[in-house]
Amino acid sequence: MSKHVENTGTDGITSPTCAMGYAFKAIEGKWKLPVMYVLSERGAARYNEIKRELGITNMMLTNTLRDLEEYGLVNRTQYNEVPPRVEYSLTSNGYAIIPALKEFEKWGQLLLDTKEDVIQD
Amino acid sequence: MSKHVENTGTDGITSPTCAMGYAFKAIEGKWKLPVMYVLSERGAARYNEIKRELGITNMMLTNTLRDLEEYGLVNRTQYNEVPPRVEYSLTSNGYAIIPALKEFEKWGQLLLDTKEDVIQD
DNA sequence: CCGTATCCTGCCTGATACTG
DNA sequence: CAGTATCAGGCAGGATACGG
């Protein structure tokens, strides 16, 4: 068994020193999960690919990718060509989120199956 | 096999008509997942219990619970006593997110195990 | 105890322009 | 192509006070 982090109990889940709290913090923000999902599906993707796929703005995509890099979840690979090419991919730690995403997708499918009416928004 | 929703491909993941998009939408915002996690651990919890556990403000907790109710993920049970008592619990659809949360927690633990230094923040 | 009502800050968006 | 810069506007989220 791996060294399990003890929960102090003072602020429980919210605390980034417990597994759940750290996970929550790692994916905080609107675009972390969607970006990681795109990368998990494509293996590697270029900046503008992600942008088109998600309909995200430059600022938010850049910030999100930077954050994910800082957490060691995403790799940035720059090819010095003309035109310049930059590819993003999941690190091994980033890749490890996929089982959670799969379960999550199954859950979303259940929700869709359960409700008869479709949200029009 | 259940009726699987076809992805139009026009906006892919972002679209709430695909499983992943709908799931993303259902947990959008900072507090949906933490609240559901608390409820999954406690079975049922009172308003102030959740509040203390998460360190969340009244407004955000109320809004989050209302949203989760609308999505059919959380039940609100009011006991007309003095002092008044209100308990929240997961519906069957809400309960179904637990496997995803478990995988998610395992991922958080992996991240903690991987990095040597602890975030001081 | 269980919320609602304000006010305020900061994230997020959208559009547009500009650099290596 | 892959960003950075900026500004306007909207909406999520936080702090505090008040009400049923």
Coordinates of all heavy atoms in Angstrom, one line a residue, chain C residues 1-8 10-20, chain D residues 1-11 13-20:
Chain C
dC1 P -27.3 25.4 15.1 OP1 -26.8 24.2 14.5 OP2 -26.6 26.6 15.2 O5' -28.8 25.6 14.7 C5' -29.6 24.4 14.6 C4' -30.5 24.5 13.4 O4' -31.2 25.7 13.3 C3' -29.7 24.4 12.0 O3' -30.4 23.5 11.2 C2' -29.7 25.8 11.5 C1' -31.0 26.4 12.1 N1 -30.9 27.8 12.3 C2 -31.8 28.7 11.8 O2 -32.7 28.2 11.1 N3 -31.7 30.0 12.0 C4 -30.7 30.5 12.7 N4 -30.7 31.8 12.9 C5 -29.7 29.6 13.3 C6 -29.8 28.3 13.1
dC2 P -29.8 23.1 9.7 OP1 -30.4 21.8 9.3 OP2 -28.4 23.3 9.7 O5' -30.5 24.2 8.7 C5' -31.9 24.1 8.6 C4' -32.4 25.3 7.7 O4' -32.1 26.5 8.3 C3' -31.6 25.3 6.3 O3' -32.6 25.5 5.3 C2' -30.7 26.5 6.5 C1' -31.6 27.4 7.4 N1 -30.8 28.5 8.1 C2 -31.3 29.8 8.1 O2 -32.4 30.0 7.5 N3 -30.6 30.8 8.7 C4 -29.5 30.5 9.4 N4 -28.9 31.5 10.0 C5 -29.0 29.1 9.4 C6 -29.7 28.2 8.8
dG3 P -32.2 25.2 3.7 OP1 -33.3 25.4 2.9 OP2 -31.6 23.8 3.8 O5' -31.0 26.2 3.4 C5' -31.2 27.2 2.4 C4' -31.8 28.4 3.1 O4' -31.0 28.8 4.2 C3' -31.7 29.7 2.2 O3' -32.8 29.7 1.3 C2' -31.6 30.8 3.2 C1' -31.3 30.2 4.5 N9 -30.1 30.7 5.2 C8 -29.0 30.1 5.6 N7 -28.1 30.9 6.2 C5 -28.8 32.1 6.2 C6 -28.3 33.3 6.8 O6 -27.3 33.6 7.4 N1 -29.3 34.4 6.6 C2 -30.5 34.2 5.9 N2 -31.2 35.3 5.8 N3 -30.9 33.0 5.4 C4 -30.0 32.0 5.6
dT4 P -32.7 30.5 -0.1 OP1 -33.8 30.1 -0.9 OP2 -31.3 30.3 -0.5 O5' -32.8 32.1 0.3 C5' -34.0 32.6 0.9 C4' -33.8 34.1 1.1 O4' -32.7 34.3 2.1 C3' -33.4 34.9 -0.1 O3' -34.2 36.1 -0.1 C2' -31.9 35.2 0.1 C1' -31.8 35.3 1.6 N1 -30.5 35.0 2.2 C2 -29.8 35.9 2.9 O2 -30.2 37.0 3.0 N3 -28.6 35.5 3.4 C4 -28.0 34.3 3.2 O4 -26.9 34.0 3.7 C5 -28.8 33.3 2.5 C7 -28.3 31.9 2.3 C6 -30.0 33.7 2.0
dA5 P -34.1 37.1 -1.3 OP1 -35.4 37.8 -1.5 OP2 -33.5 36.4 -2.5 O5' -33.1 38.2 -0.8 C5' -33.2 38.8 0.5 C4' -32.4 40.1 0.6 O4' -31.1 39.7 1.2 C3' -32.1 40.8 -0.7 O3' -32.1 42.2 -0.4 C2' -30.7 40.2 -1.1 C1' -30.1 40.0 0.3 N9 -29.1 38.9 0.4 C8 -29.3 37.7 -0.2 N7 -28.3 36.9 0.0 C5 -27.4 37.6 0.8 C6 -26.1 37.3 1.3 N6 -25.5 36.2 1.2 N1 -25.5 38.3 2.0 C2 -26.1 39.5 2.2 N3 -27.3 39.9 1.7 C4 -27.9 38.9 1.0
dT6 P -32.1 43.2 -1.6 OP1 -33.2 44.1 -1.3 OP2 -31.9 42.5 -2.9 O5' -30.7 44.0 -1.3 C5' -29.5 43.2 -1.4 C4' -28.3 44.0 -0.7 O4' -27.5 43.1 -0.1 C3' -27.5 44.8 -1.8 O3' -27.0 46.0 -1.2 C2' -26.4 43.8 -2.1 C1' -26.2 43.1 -0.8 N1 -25.8 41.7 -0.9 C2 -24.6 41.2 -0.3 O2 -24.0 41.9 0.5 N3 -24.3 39.9 -0.5 C4 -25.0 39.0 -1.3 O4 -24.6 37.9 -1.5 C5 -26.2 39.5 -2.0 C7 -27.0 38.7 -2.9 C6 -26.5 40.8 -1.8
dC7 P -26.6 47.1 -2.3 OP1 -27.0 48.4 -1.7 OP2 -26.9 46.7 -3.6 O5' -25.0 47.1 -2.1 C5' -24.4 46.9 -0.8 C4' -23.0 46.3 -1.0 O4' -23.1 44.8 -1.2 C3' -22.2 46.8 -2.2 O3' -20.9 47.3 -1.8 C2' -22.1 45.6 -3.2 C1' -22.1 44.5 -2.2 N1 -22.5 43.2 -2.8 C2 -21.8 42.0 -2.4 O2 -20.8 42.1 -1.6 N3 -22.1 40.8 -3.0 C4 -23.2 40.8 -3.8 N4 -23.5 39.6 -4.3 C5 -23.9 41.9 -4.2 C6 -23.5 43.1 -3.6
dC8 P -20.0 48.2 -2.8 OP1 -19.6 49.3 -2.0 OP2 -20.7 48.4 -4.1 O5' -18.8 47.2 -3.0 C5' -18.3 46.5 -2.0 C4' -17.4 45.3 -2.5 O4' -18.3 44.2 -2.9 C3' -16.6 45.7 -3.7 O3' -15.2 45.3 -3.5 C2' -17.2 44.9 -4.9 C1' -17.7 43.7 -4.1 N1 -18.8 43.0 -4.8 C2 -18.7 41.6 -5.0 O2 -17.7 41.0 -4.5 N3 -19.7 40.9 -5.6 C4 -20.7 41.5 -6.1 N4 -21.7 40.8 -6.7 C5 -20.9 43.0 -6.0 C6 -19.9 43.6 -5.3
dG10 P -9.4 41.4 -6.5 OP1 -8.3 41.3 -5.6 OP2 -9.5 42.6 -7.5 O5' -9.6 40.1 -7.3 C5' -10.2 39.0 -6.7 C4' -10.7 38.0 -7.9 O4' -11.9 38.5 -8.4 C3' -9.7 37.9 -9.1 O3' -9.7 36.6 -9.5 C2' -10.4 38.9 -10.1 C1' -11.8 38.6 -9.8 N9 -12.8 39.6 -10.2 C8 -12.7 41.0 -10.1 N7 -13.7 41.6 -10.6 C5 -14.6 40.6 -11.0 C6 -15.9 40.7 -11.6 O6 -16.5 41.7 -11.9 N1 -16.4 39.4 -11.9 C2 -15.8 38.2 -11.6 N2 -16.4 37.1 -11.9 N3 -14.5 38.1 -11.0 C4 -14.0 39.4 -10.8
dC11 P -8.6 36.0 -10.6 OP1 -7.6 35.2 -9.8 OP2 -8.2 37.2 -11.4 O5' -9.5 35.1 -11.5 C5' -10.3 34.1 -10.9 C4' -11.5 33.8 -11.7 O4' -12.2 35.0 -12.0 C3' -11.1 33.2 -13.1 O3' -12.0 32.1 -13.4 C2' -11.4 34.4 -14.1 C1' -12.5 35.1 -13.4 N1 -12.7 36.5 -13.7 C2 -13.9 37.0 -14.2 O2 -14.8 36.1 -14.5 N3 -14.1 38.3 -14.5 C4 -13.1 39.1 -14.2 N4 -13.3 40.4 -14.4 C5 -11.9 38.7 -13.6 C6 -11.7 37.4 -13.3
dC12 P -11.6 31.0 -14.5 OP1 -12.2 29.7 -14.0 OP2 -10.2 31.1 -14.7 O5' -12.4 31.5 -15.7 C5' -13.8 31.7 -15.7 C4' -14.3 32.5 -16.8 O4' -14.0 33.9 -16.6 C3' -13.7 32.2 -18.2 O3' -14.7 31.5 -18.9 C2' -13.4 33.6 -18.7 C1' -14.1 34.5 -17.8 N1 -13.6 35.9 -17.7 C2 -14.4 37.0 -18.2 O2 -15.5 36.7 -18.7 N3 -13.9 38.2 -18.1 C4 -12.7 38.5 -17.6 N4 -12.3 39.7 -17.5 C5 -11.9 37.4 -17.1 C6 -12.4 36.1 -17.2
dT13 P -14.4 31.1 -20.5 OP1 -15.2 29.9 -20.8 OP2 -12.9 31.1 -20.7 O5' -15.1 32.3 -21.3 C5' -16.4 32.7 -21.0 C4' -16.8 33.9 -21.9 O4' -16.1 35.1 -21.4 C3' -16.4 33.8 -23.3 O3' -17.5 34.1 -24.1 C2' -15.3 34.9 -23.5 C1' -15.7 35.9 -22.5 N1 -14.6 36.8 -22.0 C2 -14.8 38.2 -22.1 O2 -15.8 38.7 -22.5 N3 -13.7 38.9 -21.6 C4 -12.5 38.4 -21.1 O4 -11.7 39.2 -20.8 C5 -12.4 37.0 -21.1 C7 -11.2 36.4 -20.6 C6 -13.4 36.2 -21.5
dG14 P -17.6 33.7 -25.7 OP1 -18.6 32.7 -25.8 OP2 -16.2 33.4 -26.1 O5' -18.1 35.0 -26.4 C5' -18.1 36.3 -25.8 C4' -17.7 37.4 -26.7 O4' -16.7 38.2 -26.1 C3' -17.1 36.9 -28.1 O3' -17.7 37.7 -29.1 C2' -15.6 37.1 -27.9 C1' -15.5 38.3 -27.0 N9 -14.3 38.3 -26.1 C8 -13.6 37.2 -25.7 N7 -12.6 37.5 -24.9 C5 -12.6 38.9 -24.9 C6 -11.8 39.8 -24.3 O6 -10.8 39.6 -23.6 N1 -12.1 41.1 -24.5 C2 -13.2 41.5 -25.2 N2 -13.4 42.8 -25.3 N3 -14.0 40.7 -25.9 C4 -13.7 39.4 -25.6
dA15 P -17.3 37.5 -30.7 OP1 -18.6 37.6 -31.4 OP2 -16.4 36.3 -30.8 O5' -16.5 38.8 -30.9 C5' -16.9 40.0 -30.4 C4' -15.8 41.1 -30.6 O4' -14.8 40.9 -29.5 C3' -15.1 40.9 -31.9 O3' -15.2 42.2 -32.6 C2' -13.7 40.6 -31.5 C1' -13.5 41.1 -30.1 N9 -12.6 40.3 -29.3 C8 -12.5 39.0 -29.2 N7 -11.6 38.5 -28.4 C5 -11.0 39.7 -27.9 C6 -9.9 39.9 -27.1 N6 -9.2 38.9 -26.5 N1 -9.5 41.2 -26.8 C2 -10.2 42.2 -27.5 N3 -11.2 42.1 -28.3 C4 -11.6 40.8 -28.5
dT16 P -14.6 42.2 -34.2 OP1 -15.5 43.2 -34.9 OP2 -14.4 40.9 -34.7 O5' -13.2 42.9 -34.0 C5' -13.0 43.9 -33.0 C4' -11.5 44.1 -32.7 O4' -11.0 43.1 -31.7 C3' -10.6 43.9 -33.9 O3' -10.0 45.2 -34.3 C2' -9.6 42.9 -33.5 C1' -9.6 42.9 -32.0 N1 -9.2 41.7 -31.3 C2 -8.2 41.7 -30.4 O2 -7.7 42.8 -30.0 N3 -7.9 40.5 -29.8 C4 -8.4 39.3 -30.1 O4 -8.0 38.3 -29.6 C5 -9.4 39.3 -31.2 C7 -10.0 38.0 -31.6 C6 -9.8 40.4 -31.7
dA17 P -9.1 45.3 -35.6 OP1 -9.6 46.6 -36.3 OP2 -9.1 44.0 -36.4 O5' -7.6 45.5 -35.1 C5' -7.4 46.3 -33.9 C4' -6.1 45.9 -33.3 O4' -6.1 44.6 -32.6 C3' -4.9 45.7 -34.3 O3' -3.9 46.6 -34.0 C2' -4.5 44.3 -34.2 C1' -4.9 44.0 -32.8 N9 -5.1 42.5 -32.5 C8 -6.0 41.7 -33.1 N7 -6.0 40.5 -32.7 C5 -5.0 40.5 -31.8 C6 -4.5 39.5 -30.9 N6 -4.9 38.2 -31.0 N1 -3.5 39.8 -30.1 C2 -3.0 41.1 -30.1 N3 -3.5 42.1 -30.8 C4 -4.5 41.7 -31.6
dC18 P -2.7 46.9 -35.1 OP1 -2.4 48.3 -35.1 OP2 -3.0 46.1 -36.3 O5' -1.4 46.1 -34.4 C5' -1.2 46.2 -33.0 C4' -0.3 45.1 -32.5 O4' -1.0 43.8 -32.4 C3' 0.9 44.8 -33.4 O3' 2.1 44.8 -32.7 C2' 0.6 43.4 -34.0 C1' -0.2 42.8 -32.8 N1 -1.0 41.6 -33.2 C2 -0.8 40.4 -32.5 O2 0.1 40.3 -31.6 N3 -1.6 39.3 -32.8 C4 -2.5 39.5 -33.8 N4 -3.3 38.4 -34.1 C5 -2.8 40.7 -34.4 C6 -2.0 41.8 -34.1
dT19 P 3.6 44.9 -33.5 OP1 4.3 46.1 -33.0 OP2 3.3 44.8 -35.0 O5' 4.3 43.6 -33.1 C5' 4.7 43.4 -31.7 C4' 5.1 42.0 -31.5 O4' 4.0 41.1 -31.8 C3' 6.3 41.5 -32.3 O3' 7.3 41.1 -31.5 C2' 5.7 40.4 -33.2 C1' 4.6 39.9 -32.4 N1 3.5 39.3 -33.1 C2 3.2 37.9 -32.9 O2 3.9 37.3 -32.1 N3 2.2 37.4 -33.6 C4 1.4 38.0 -34.5 O4 0.5 37.4 -35.1 C5 1.7 39.4 -34.7 C7 0.8 40.2 -35.7 C6 2.7 40.0 -34.0
dG20 P 8.9 40.8 -32.1 OP1 9.8 41.2 -31.1 OP2 8.9 41.3 -33.5 O5' 8.9 39.2 -32.2 C5' 9.0 38.4 -31.0 C4' 9.1 36.9 -31.4 O4' 7.9 36.5 -32.0 C3' 10.2 36.6 -32.4 O3' 10.8 35.3 -32.1 C2' 9.5 36.6 -33.7 C1' 8.1 36.0 -33.3 N9 7.0 36.4 -34.2 C8 6.7 37.6 -34.7 N7 5.6 37.6 -35.4 C5 5.2 36.3 -35.4 C6 4.0 35.7 -36.0 O6 3.2 36.2 -36.7 N1 4.0 34.3 -35.7 C2 4.9 33.6 -35.0 N2 4.7 32.3 -34.8 N3 6.0 34.2 -34.4 C4 6.0 35.5 -34.6
Chain D
dC1 P -2.6 28.0 -39.3 OP1 -3.0 26.6 -39.2 OP2 -3.5 29.0 -38.9 O5' -1.2 28.1 -38.6 C5' -0.3 27.1 -38.7 C4' 0.6 27.1 -37.5 O4' 1.4 28.3 -37.5 C3' -0.1 27.0 -36.2 O3' 0.7 26.2 -35.3 C2' -0.1 28.4 -35.7 C1' 1.2 29.0 -36.3 N1 1.0 30.5 -36.7 C2 1.9 31.4 -36.2 O2 2.8 31.0 -35.4 N3 1.8 32.7 -36.5 C4 0.8 33.1 -37.3 N4 0.7 34.4 -37.6 C5 -0.2 32.1 -37.8 C6 0.0 30.8 -37.5
dA2 P 0.1 25.7 -33.9 OP1 0.8 24.4 -33.6 OP2 -1.4 25.8 -33.9 O5' 0.7 26.7 -32.9 C5' 2.1 26.8 -32.7 C4' 2.4 28.0 -31.8 O4' 2.1 29.2 -32.5 C3' 1.5 28.0 -30.5 O3' 2.3 28.4 -29.4 C2' 0.5 29.1 -30.8 C1' 1.4 30.1 -31.6 N9 0.6 31.0 -32.4 C8 -0.5 30.8 -33.1 N7 -1.0 31.9 -33.8 C5 0.0 32.8 -33.5 C6 0.1 34.2 -33.9 N6 -0.8 34.8 -34.6 N1 1.1 34.9 -33.4 C2 2.0 34.2 -32.6 N3 2.0 33.0 -32.2 C4 1.0 32.3 -32.7
dG3 P 1.8 28.1 -27.9 OP1 2.8 28.5 -26.9 OP2 1.3 26.7 -27.9 O5' 0.5 29.1 -27.7 C5' 0.6 30.1 -26.7 C4' 1.2 31.3 -27.3 O4' 0.6 31.6 -28.6 C3' 1.0 32.6 -26.5 O3' 2.0 32.7 -25.5 C2' 0.9 33.7 -27.5 C1' 0.8 33.0 -28.8 N9 -0.2 33.5 -29.7 C8 -1.3 32.8 -30.1 N7 -2.1 33.5 -30.9 C5 -1.6 34.7 -30.9 C6 -2.0 35.9 -31.6 O6 -3.0 36.1 -32.2 N1 -1.1 37.0 -31.3 C2 0.0 36.9 -30.6 N2 0.8 38.0 -30.4 N3 0.5 35.8 -30.0 C4 -0.4 34.8 -30.2
dT4 P 1.7 33.4 -24.2 OP1 2.8 33.1 -23.2 OP2 0.3 33.1 -23.8 O5' 1.8 35.0 -24.4 C5' 2.9 35.6 -25.0 C4' 2.6 37.1 -25.3 O4' 1.7 37.2 -26.4 C3' 1.9 37.8 -24.1 O3' 2.6 39.0 -23.9 C2' 0.5 38.0 -24.6 C1' 0.6 38.1 -26.1 N1 -0.6 37.7 -26.8 C2 -1.2 38.6 -27.6 O2 -0.8 39.7 -27.8 N3 -2.3 38.1 -28.3 C4 -2.8 36.9 -28.3 O4 -3.8 36.6 -28.9 C5 -2.1 35.9 -27.4 C7 -2.6 34.5 -27.3 C6 -1.0 36.4 -26.7
dA5 P 2.0 40.0 -22.8 OP1 3.1 40.9 -22.4 OP2 1.3 39.2 -21.8 O5' 0.9 40.9 -23.6 C5' 1.3 41.6 -24.8 C4' 0.4 42.8 -24.9 O4' -0.7 42.5 -25.8 C3' -0.3 43.3 -23.6 O3' -0.4 44.7 -23.6 C2' -1.6 42.6 -23.6 C1' -2.0 42.6 -25.1 N9 -2.8 41.4 -25.5 C8 -2.6 40.1 -25.1 N7 -3.5 39.3 -25.6 C5 -4.3 40.1 -26.4 C6 -5.4 39.9 -27.2 N6 -5.9 38.7 -27.4 N1 -6.0 40.9 -27.9 C2 -5.4 42.1 -27.8 N3 -4.4 42.5 -27.0 C4 -3.9 41.4 -26.4
dT6 P -0.9 45.6 -22.4 OP1 0.0 46.7 -22.3 OP2 -1.0 44.6 -21.2 O5' -2.3 46.0 -22.8 C5' -2.6 46.4 -24.2 C4' -4.1 46.6 -24.4 O4' -4.7 45.3 -24.9 C3' -4.8 46.9 -23.1 O3' -5.6 48.1 -23.4 C2' -5.7 45.7 -22.8 C1' -5.9 45.2 -24.2 N1 -6.3 43.8 -24.3 C2 -7.3 43.4 -25.2 O2 -7.9 44.2 -25.9 N3 -7.6 42.0 -25.1 C4 -7.0 41.1 -24.4 O4 -7.4 39.9 -24.4 C5 -6.0 41.5 -23.5 C7 -5.3 40.6 -22.6 C6 -5.7 42.8 -23.5
dC7 P -6.1 49.1 -22.2 OP1 -5.3 50.3 -22.2 OP2 -6.2 48.3 -20.9 O5' -7.6 49.4 -22.5 C5' -8.1 49.3 -23.9 C4' -9.5 48.7 -24.0 O4' -9.4 47.3 -24.1 C3' -10.3 49.0 -22.7 O3' -11.6 49.4 -23.1 C2' -10.4 47.6 -22.0 C1' -10.4 46.7 -23.2 N1 -10.0 45.3 -23.0 C2 -10.7 44.3 -23.7 O2 -11.5 44.6 -24.5 N3 -10.4 43.0 -23.4 C4 -9.5 42.7 -22.5 N4 -9.2 41.4 -22.2 C5 -8.8 43.7 -21.7 C6 -9.1 45.0 -22.0
dA8 P -12.5 50.2 -22.0 OP1 -12.5 51.6 -22.3 OP2 -12.2 49.7 -20.6 O5' -14.0 49.7 -22.4 C5' -14.3 49.2 -23.7 C4' -15.3 48.2 -23.7 O4' -14.7 46.9 -23.5 C3' -16.3 48.4 -22.5 O3' -17.7 48.2 -23.0 C2' -16.0 47.3 -21.6 C1' -15.3 46.2 -22.5 N9 -14.3 45.4 -21.8 C8 -13.3 45.9 -21.0 N7 -12.5 44.9 -20.5 C5 -13.1 43.8 -21.0 C6 -12.8 42.4 -20.8 N6 -11.8 42.0 -20.1 N1 -13.6 41.5 -21.5 C2 -14.6 41.9 -22.2 N3 -15.0 43.2 -22.4 C4 -14.2 44.0 -21.8
dG9 P -18.9 48.5 -22.1 OP1 -20.0 49.1 -22.9 OP2 -18.4 49.2 -20.8 O5' -19.3 47.0 -21.7 C5' -19.6 46.1 -22.7 C4' -19.9 44.7 -22.1 O4' -18.7 44.1 -21.6 C3' -20.8 44.8 -20.9 O3' -21.8 43.8 -21.0 C2' -19.9 44.5 -19.7 C1' -18.9 43.6 -20.3 N9 -17.6 43.6 -19.6 C8 -16.9 44.7 -19.2 N7 -15.8 44.4 -18.6 C5 -15.7 43.1 -18.7 C6 -14.7 42.2 -18.2 O6 -13.7 42.4 -17.6 N1 -15.0 40.8 -18.5 C2 -16.2 40.4 -19.2 N2 -16.3 39.1 -19.4 N3 -17.1 41.3 -19.6 C4 -16.8 42.5 -19.3
dG10 P -23.1 43.7 -20.0 OP1 -24.3 43.8 -20.8 OP2 -22.8 44.5 -18.8 O5' -22.9 42.1 -19.5 C5' -22.6 41.1 -20.5 C4' -22.3 39.8 -19.8 O4' -20.9 39.9 -19.3 C3' -23.2 39.5 -18.6 O3' -23.4 38.1 -18.7 C2' -22.4 39.9 -17.4 C1' -21.0 39.6 -17.9 N9 -19.9 40.4 -17.2 C8 -19.9 41.8 -17.1 N7 -18.9 42.3 -16.5 C5 -18.1 41.1 -16.2 C6 -16.9 41.0 -15.5 O6 -16.2 41.9 -15.1 N1 -16.5 39.7 -15.5 C2 -17.2 38.6 -15.9 N2 -16.7 37.4 -15.8 N3 -18.4 38.7 -16.6 C4 -18.8 40.0 -16.6
dC11 P -24.7 37.5 -17.9 OP1 -25.6 37.0 -18.9 OP2 -25.2 38.5 -16.9 O5' -24.1 36.3 -17.1 C5' -22.9 35.7 -17.5 C4' -22.0 35.2 -16.4 O4' -21.2 36.3 -15.9 C3' -22.9 34.8 -15.1 O3' -22.3 33.6 -14.6 C2' -22.6 36.0 -14.2 C1' -21.2 36.3 -14.5 N1 -20.7 37.7 -14.0 C2 -19.5 37.7 -13.5 O2 -18.8 36.7 -13.4 N3 -19.0 38.9 -13.0 C4 -19.8 40.0 -13.2 N4 -19.3 41.2 -12.7 C5 -21.1 40.0 -13.8 C6 -21.5 38.8 -14.2
dG13 P -18.6 29.3 -9.5 OP1 -17.7 28.2 -9.9 OP2 -20.0 29.0 -9.2 O5' -18.0 30.1 -8.3 C5' -16.7 30.7 -8.4 C4' -16.5 31.7 -7.3 O4' -17.3 32.8 -7.6 C3' -16.9 31.2 -5.9 O3' -15.7 31.2 -5.2 C2' -17.9 32.2 -5.4 C1' -17.7 33.4 -6.3 N9 -18.8 34.3 -6.6 C8 -20.1 33.9 -7.1 N7 -20.9 34.9 -7.2 C5 -20.2 36.0 -6.7 C6 -20.5 37.3 -6.5 O6 -21.6 37.9 -6.8 N1 -19.5 38.1 -6.0 C2 -18.2 37.6 -5.7 N2 -17.4 38.5 -5.2 N3 -17.9 36.3 -5.8 C4 -18.9 35.6 -6.3
dG14 P -15.7 30.9 -3.6 OP1 -14.4 30.2 -3.3 OP2 -17.0 30.3 -3.3 O5' -15.7 32.4 -3.0 C5' -14.5 33.1 -3.0 C4' -14.6 34.3 -2.1 O4' -15.7 35.2 -2.6 C3' -15.0 34.0 -0.6 O3' -14.2 34.8 0.2 C2' -16.5 34.4 -0.5 C1' -16.5 35.6 -1.6 N9 -17.9 35.7 -2.1 C8 -18.6 34.7 -2.7 N7 -19.8 35.2 -3.2 C5 -19.8 36.5 -2.9 C6 -20.8 37.5 -3.1 O6 -21.9 37.4 -3.6 N1 -20.3 38.8 -2.6 C2 -19.1 39.0 -2.0 N2 -18.9 40.3 -1.6 N3 -18.2 38.1 -1.7 C4 -18.6 36.9 -2.2
dA15 P -14.3 34.7 1.8 OP1 -12.9 34.7 2.4 OP2 -15.2 33.5 2.1 O5' -15.1 36.0 2.2 C5' -14.6 37.3 1.8 C4' -15.3 38.4 2.6 O4' -16.6 38.7 1.9 C3' -15.7 38.0 4.0 O3' -15.4 39.2 4.8 C2' -17.2 37.7 4.0 C1' -17.7 38.5 2.8 N9 -18.7 37.8 2.0 C8 -18.8 36.5 1.7 N7 -19.9 36.1 1.0 C5 -20.6 37.3 0.9 C6 -21.8 37.7 0.3 N6 -22.5 36.8 -0.4 N1 -22.2 38.9 0.3 C2 -21.4 39.8 1.0 N3 -20.3 39.6 1.6 C4 -19.9 38.4 1.5
dT16 P -15.7 39.1 6.4 OP1 -14.7 40.0 7.0 OP2 -15.8 37.7 6.8 O5' -17.1 39.8 6.6 C5' -17.4 41.0 5.9 C4' -18.9 41.2 6.0 O4' -19.6 40.4 5.0 C3' -19.6 40.9 7.3 O3' -20.0 42.2 7.9 C2' -20.7 40.0 7.0 C1' -20.9 40.2 5.5 N1 -21.6 39.0 4.9 C2 -22.7 39.2 4.1 O2 -23.2 40.3 4.0 N3 -23.2 38.1 3.5 C4 -22.7 36.8 3.6 O4 -23.2 35.9 3.0 C5 -21.5 36.7 4.4 C7 -20.9 35.3 4.5 C6 -21.0 37.8 5.0
dA17 P -20.6 42.2 9.4 OP1 -20.1 43.4 10.1 OP2 -20.5 40.9 10.0 O5' -22.2 42.5 9.1 C5' -22.6 43.4 8.0 C4' -24.0 43.2 7.7 O4' -24.2 42.0 6.9 C3' -25.0 43.0 8.9 O3' -26.1 43.9 8.7 C2' -25.4 41.6 8.8 C1' -25.3 41.3 7.3 N9 -25.2 39.8 7.0 C8 -24.2 39.0 7.4 N7 -24.3 37.8 7.0 C5 -25.5 37.8 6.2 C6 -26.2 36.8 5.5 N6 -25.7 35.6 5.4 N1 -27.3 37.2 4.9 C2 -27.7 38.5 5.0 N3 -27.1 39.5 5.6 C4 -26.0 39.1 6.3
dC18 P -27.1 44.2 9.9 OP1 -27.5 45.6 10.0 OP2 -26.6 43.5 11.1 O5' -28.4 43.4 9.4 C5' -28.9 43.7 8.1 C4' -29.9 42.6 7.7 O4' -29.2 41.4 7.5 C3' -31.0 42.3 8.7 O3' -32.3 42.5 8.0 C2' -30.8 40.9 9.1 C1' -30.0 40.3 7.9 N1 -29.2 39.1 8.2 C2 -29.4 37.9 7.6 O2 -30.4 37.8 6.9 N3 -28.6 36.8 7.9 C4 -27.6 37.0 8.8 N4 -26.9 35.9 9.0 C5 -27.3 38.2 9.4 C6 -28.1 39.3 9.1
dG19 P -33.7 42.3 8.7 OP1 -34.6 43.3 8.2 OP2 -33.4 42.2 10.2 O5' -34.2 40.8 8.2 C5' -34.9 40.7 7.0 C4' -35.4 39.3 6.8 O4' -34.3 38.4 7.0 C3' -36.5 38.9 7.7 O3' -37.4 38.0 7.1 C2' -35.7 38.1 8.8 C1' -34.6 37.4 8.0 N9 -33.4 37.1 8.7 C8 -32.6 37.9 9.4 N7 -31.6 37.3 10.0 C5 -31.7 36.0 9.6 C6 -30.9 34.9 9.9 O6 -29.9 34.8 10.5 N1 -31.4 33.7 9.3 C2 -32.6 33.6 8.5 N2 -33.0 32.5 8.1 N3 -33.4 34.7 8.3 C4 -32.9 35.8 8.8
dG20 P -38.8 37.8 7.6 OP1 -39.7 38.9 7.2 OP2 -38.7 37.5 9.1 O5' -39.2 36.5 6.9 C5' -38.3 35.6 6.3 C4' -38.6 34.1 6.6 O4' -37.5 33.5 7.3 C3' -39.9 33.9 7.4 O3' -40.4 32.6 7.0 C2' -39.4 33.9 8.8 C1' -38.1 33.1 8.6 N9 -37.0 33.5 9.6 C8 -36.8 34.7 10.2 N7 -35.8 34.7 11.0 C5 -35.3 33.4 10.9 C6 -34.2 32.8 11.6 O6 -33.4 33.3 12.4 N1 -34.0 31.4 11.2 C2 -34.8 30.8 10.3 N2 -34.5 29.5 10.0 N3 -35.9 31.3 9.7 C4 -36.0 32.6 10.0

